[in-house]
């Protein structure tokens, strides 16, 4: 039987500057979820990429004495470099300047014109150049200086120009009914409530989908003075990346149009409206199925509030990787991520989480085990013939509870809860050492009990390793060498097959997998 399929995406990131910690957070989240779904048997298609059109990009190119395409190529290199250093495993990377995407968007625009779903009018609005987003008077935030700003702090301008509009207002009733009938389409629930209270209940207005003032964009075939507005251009990346509206749309039909494929979009909360209202309407009116779920997460903040260049508290993800390594970064964001609220980051929290979980629990467990098995069993694991002790039974109850709950937590996108469950196993395994007291068993000559103890401890480490492998990409390879685990022993399909460890011989390695980090700086956040 064929594996189930998952198509999982980040939003495509705006190419106005180098990647920041928010980009890293979203992409890491998607990567970890994708790897967990792959672990339990899904064929995963993971898309990320770049949104490369718009006024802001044109301005940035001019500021840096570059052509817009040259600037986009430069920024694309920055993102790809960060993804490599973070061990991001995407298998699709789209750029909206790709020829296939450009041609497809032109066909899509023409389709809407032909079907009478768009019309030429006059667009006038408060506008945020940085976010490429229009604002109503009620949405704008008035500062003490009397100027109007967007929700993330950019000054708004007033713009007016000819524009094509998509007839969104015709579908207000449809999107209202659809979202009410599909309660799990938007996650978390608070974000769905926001869509109703702030937008749908107020009435969805027709959407401007072209510009005459932005030459750096996809020209409309029927009227080349207009370029396609970024939010129609960008949203369709999810299907054009698979070949929609191209000469070869086989991958699109295989992945997107297959009703059995699970399609999940991840994004930060500030762009939820476009994906939860406009995107379903666009898709429904061009004959495409809708995604299964749209998940929007909060922002990364410090203990004192938002990150801001003006506050000097912005975190460069490359600096974190250089200092602590990619796995430490991956682990913190995977464990501390929350969709219901913003995630708090500080250097102190970061180091404490790493030391407490990876160094003290996981690393300490491996170190203790290796010392014991080399001292008492010449580096060879054997099941032994003794009856399991009460301590062994307690450990196995914890282990089996973790295993049995794994797929439900993965399929409900609760990886952070899974991590806490796995940590319970690590704590139970360390407790197992203290309670069993193998050094006492040796003095009493209980060789079979020692074998049983080491065998069960080794299997807990094996399960621990399997379940954290999607996060700890580099460290898992080190642990495989350290413990001499084979690929077969670390397959999720074999997670309950402890007998695979019978007569298993460890390597002679004794180096620390997770050395502790010292926090020698006062945390100013």
């Amino acid at each position: 039987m064929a594996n189930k399929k998952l198509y999982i995406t980040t939003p495509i990131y705006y190419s106005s500057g180098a990647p920041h910690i928010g980009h890293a957070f979203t992409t890491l989240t998607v990567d970890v979820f994708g790897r967990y779904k792959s672990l339990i048997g899904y064929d995963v298609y993971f898309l990320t990429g770049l949104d490369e059109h718009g006024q802001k990009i044109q301005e940035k190119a001019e500021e840096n004495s570059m052509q817009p395409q040259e600037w986009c190529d430069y920024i694309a290199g920055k993102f790809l470099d960060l993804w490599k250093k973070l061990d991001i495993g995407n298998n699709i990377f789209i750029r909206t300047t790709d020829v296939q995407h450009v041609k497809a968007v032109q066909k899509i625009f023409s389709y809407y014109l032909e079907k009478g779903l768009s019309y030429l009018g006059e667009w006038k609005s408060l506008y945020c150049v940085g976010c490429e987003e229009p604002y109503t008077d009620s949405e704008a935030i008035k500062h003490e200086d009397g100027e109007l700003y967007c929700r993330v702090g950019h000054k708004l301008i007033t713009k007016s120009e000819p524009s094509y509009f998509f007839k969104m207002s015709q579908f207000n009733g449809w999107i209202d009914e659809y979202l009410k009938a599909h309660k799990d389409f938007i996650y978390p629930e608070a974000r769905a409530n926001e869509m109703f209270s702030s937008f749908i209940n107020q009435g969805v207005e027709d959407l401007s989908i072209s510009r005459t003032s932005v030459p750096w964009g996809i020209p409309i075939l029927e009227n080349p003075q207009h370029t396609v507005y970024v939010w129609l251009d960008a949203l369709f990346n999810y299907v054009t990346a698979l070949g929609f509206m191209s000469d070869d749309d086989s991958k699109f039909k295989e992945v997107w149009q297959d009703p059995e494929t699970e399609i999940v979009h991840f994004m930060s909360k500030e762009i939820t409206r476009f994906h939860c209202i406009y995107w379903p309407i666009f898709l429904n009116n061009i004959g495409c199925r809708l995604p299964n779920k749209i998940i929007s997460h909060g922002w990364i903040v410090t203990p004192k509030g938002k990150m801001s260049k003006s506050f000097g508290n912005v975190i460069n993800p490359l600096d974190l990787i250089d200092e602590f390594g990619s796995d430490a970064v991956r682990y913190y964001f995977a464990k501390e991520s929350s969709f219901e609220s913003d995630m708090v980051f500080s250097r102190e929290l970061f180091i404490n989480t790493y030391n407490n979980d990876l160094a003290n629990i996981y690393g300490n467990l491996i170190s203790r085990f290796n010392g014991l098995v080399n001292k008492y069993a010449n580096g060879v694991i054997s099941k032994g013939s003794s009856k399991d002790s009460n301590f062994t039974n307690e450990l196995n109850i914890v282990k089996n509870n973790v295993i049995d709950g794994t797929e439900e937590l993965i399929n409900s996108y609760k990886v952070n809860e899974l991590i806490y469950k796995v940590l319970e196993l690590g704590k139970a395994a360390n407790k197992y050492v203290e309670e069993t007291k193998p050094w006492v068993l040796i003095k009493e000559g209980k060789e079979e009990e020692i074998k049983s103890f080491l065998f069960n401890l080794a299997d807990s480490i094996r399960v621990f390793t399997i379940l954290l492998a999607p996060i700890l990409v580099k460290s898992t390879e080190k642990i495989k060498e350290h413990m001499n685990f084979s690929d077969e022993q670390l397959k999720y399909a074999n997670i309950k097959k402890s007998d695979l460890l019978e007569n298993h011989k460890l390597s002679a390695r004794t180096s620390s997998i997770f050395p502790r980090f010292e926090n020698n700086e006062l945390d100013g956040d």
Side-chain angles (χ1 to χ4, degrees):
M1 189 170 118
N3 288 352
K4 294 180 179 180
K5 289 178 286 191
L6 170 71
Y7 184 45
I8 191 167
T9 72
T10 72
I12 53 173
Y13 302 118
Y14 202 45
S15 301
S16 56
H20 54 63
I21 196 70
H23 299 131
F25 176 37
T26 303
T27 310
L28 276 173
T29 300
V30 175
D31 182 71
V32 168
F33 276 117
R35 287 178 185 268
Y36 270 110
K37 295 288 272 193
S38 179
L39 181 77
I40 63 175
Y42 279 70
D43 287 332
V44 176
Y45 303 84
F46 169 16
L47 170 121
T48 187
L50 298 177
D51 173 5
E52 298 188 328
H53 292 127
Q55 180 179 344
K56 186 70 173 179
I57 290 170
Q58 187 172 330
E59 291 175 355
K60 280 291 183 180
E62 290 170 356
E63 288 173 15
N64 289 274
S65 302
M66 292 182 179
Q67 293 299 313
Q69 186 63 62
E70 184 183 7
W71 170 259
C72 291
D73 292 344
Y74 168 72
I75 294 298
K78 295 285 188 183
F79 275 87
L80 289 169
D81 180 54
L82 178 57
W83 298 164
K84 183 178 180 180
K85 290 181 178 178
L86 278 175
D87 298 304
I88 302 300
N90 62 290
N91 44 20
I92 312 173
F93 186 83
I94 188 171
R95 299 172 59 184
T96 57
T97 54
D98 292 342
V99 173
Q100 176 177 296
H101 175 80
V102 170
K103 290 182 176 180
V105 168
Q106 288 176 321
K107 291 178 183 178
I108 292 162
F109 199 100
S110 296
Y111 177 88
Y112 289 142
L113 271 178
E114 181 185 337
K115 296 297 182 182
L117 292 167
S118 62
Y119 61 92
L120 185 61
E122 184 75 15
W123 174 73
K124 183 176 181 180
S125 178
L126 291 169
Y127 188 72
C128 176
V129 174
C131 299
E132 294 278 2
E133 184 178 350
Y135 274 74
T136 64
D137 290 340
S138 61
E139 292 170 337
I141 300 169
K142 193 170 185 179
H143 284 201
E144 292 179 358
D145 60 6
E147 299 286 351
L148 298 176
Y149 291 80
C150 78
R151 64 178 63 89
V152 295
H154 301 139
K155 185 181 290 188
L156 300 178
I157 63 172
T158 300
K159 293 187 71 173
S160 177
E161 61 182 285
S163 173
Y164 286 91
F165 289 80
F166 187 92
K167 297 178 179 179
M168 286 287 173
S169 58
Q170 289 188 8
F171 305 101
N172 194 79
W174 177 84
I175 192 64
D176 179 88
E177 291 177 7
Y178 184 85
L179 294 181
K180 286 177 178 175
H182 298 81
K183 299 289 188 182
D184 59 349
F185 181 71
I186 304 173
Y187 184 79
E189 185 180 355
R191 218 77 73 220
N193 294 337
E194 181 186 340
M195 293 303 103
F196 282 101
S197 62
S198 298
F199 304 108
I200 295 173
N201 293 346
Q202 311 301 320
V204 177
E205 298 180 352
D206 290 350
L207 178 68
S208 171
I209 54 173
S210 79
R211 294 288 184 269
T212 56
S213 61
V214 185
W216 181 243
I218 298 174
I220 295 169
L221 296 177
E222 292 79 3
N223 192 346
Q225 289 183 327
H226 289 251
T227 56
V228 180
Y229 177 53
V230 66
W231 278 108
L232 187 147
D233 172 2
L235 284 168
F236 271 96
N237 89 90
Y238 301 121
V239 290
T240 64
L242 297 171
F244 178 63
M245 287 285 188
S246 73
D247 294 336
D248 180 6
D249 63 356
S250 57
K251 184 62 71 176
F252 167 73
K253 290 175 180 175
E254 174 194 343
V255 177
W256 188 278
Q257 292 294 75
D258 181 353
E260 296 301 314
T261 300
E262 183 181 354
I263 301 173
V264 183
H265 296 319
F266 277 83
M267 68 209 62
S268 184
K269 62 184 178 182
E270 71 271 12
I271 58 173
T272 309
R273 171 178 33 145
F274 302 96
H275 288 81
C276 296
I277 299 177
Y278 302 148
W279 182 224
I281 292 173
F282 279 145
L283 287 171
N284 189 55
N285 281 284
I286 206 166
C288 293
R289 63 164 287 197
L290 272 59
N292 298 82
K293 189 175 288 291
I294 293 174
I295 299 177
S296 97
H297 61 74
W299 294 329
I300 302 175
V301 298
T302 74
K304 293 183 179 179
K306 288 177 63 177
M307 288 188 184
S308 168
K309 289 182 180 178
S310 60
F311 296 153
N313 61 0
V314 174
I315 305 297
N316 184 333
L318 289 171
D319 291 342
L320 277 181
I321 298 166
D322 288 343
E323 184 172 2
F324 300 106
S326 59
D327 278 356
V329 178
R330 292 175 63 89
Y331 182 81
Y332 184 83
F333 287 128
K335 185 190 178 192
E336 301 302 326
S337 63
S338 171
F339 301 126
E340 286 81 6
S341 59
D342 294 336
M343 186 188 77
V344 178
F345 178 93
S346 75
R347 182 182 178 87
E348 181 179 8
L349 289 171
F350 180 88
I351 291 176
N352 286 345
T353 297
Y354 171 91
N355 284 342
N356 292 338
D357 298 358
L358 299 183
N360 294 354
I361 296 176
Y362 197 8
N364 182 53
L365 182 63
I366 293 171
S367 178
R368 295 178 84 178
F369 171 78
N370 271 17
L372 291 167
V373 79
N374 285 314
K375 184 175 182 180
Y376 300 139
N378 295 319
V380 179
I381 303 166
S382 176
K383 195 168 187 178
S385 58
S386 70
K387 182 181 177 181
D388 286 343
S389 68
N390 289 335
F391 301 137
T392 299
N393 291 332
E394 289 174 6
L395 175 64
N396 286 334
I397 287 171
V398 175
K399 181 177 68 176
N400 289 327
N401 282 342
V402 173
I403 294 171
D404 292 341
T406 290
E407 291 192 31
E408 181 182 351
L409 290 172
I410 291 172
N411 288 327
S412 57
Y413 293 88
K414 296 178 179 177
V415 162
N416 57 338
E417 291 187 24
L418 176 59
I419 293 169
Y420 279 94
K421 289 286 187 183
V422 176
L423 288 175
E424 288 178 14
L425 174 59
K427 292 173 184 176
N430 277 301
K431 180 183 176 184
Y432 182 53
V433 177
E434 300 299 329
E435 291 182 333
T436 304
K437 296 181 173 60
W439 46 90
V440 174
L441 295 179
I442 283 295
K443 287 181 180 178
E444 296 174 350
K446 296 180 178 179
E447 293 185 6
E448 294 304 309
E449 284 83 347
I450 279 287
K451 289 179 182 178
S452 175
F453 160 75
L454 292 172
F455 183 89
N456 283 285
L457 191 59
D459 194 55
S460 293
I461 294 172
R462 183 181 69 92
V463 170
F464 205 102
T465 302
I466 291 170
L467 295 182
L468 288 188
I471 302 171
L472 304 174
V473 176
K474 287 187 171 71
S475 300
T476 299
E477 291 303 312
K478 293 178 182 177
I479 293 164
K480 280 176 67 176
E481 292 182 16
H482 203 92
M483 297 288 296
N484 200 28
F485 285 144
S486 67
D487 291 338
E488 194 69 16
Q489 290 167 332
L490 293 183
K491 279 184 180 177
Y492 178 79
N494 296 331
I495 196 166
K496 287 193 173 183
K497 296 180 180 179
S498 59
D499 286 348
L500 290 172
L501 289 178
E502 181 64 31
N503 296 320
H504 178 72
K505 184 173 177 57
L506 267 70
S507 68
R509 296 175 180 271
T510 57
S511 59
S512 175
I513 301 292
F514 299 107
R516 287 180 59 83
F517 293 131
E518 298 300 327
N519 188 10
N520 297 320
E521 299 179 18
L522 289 176
D523 195 331
D525 296 333

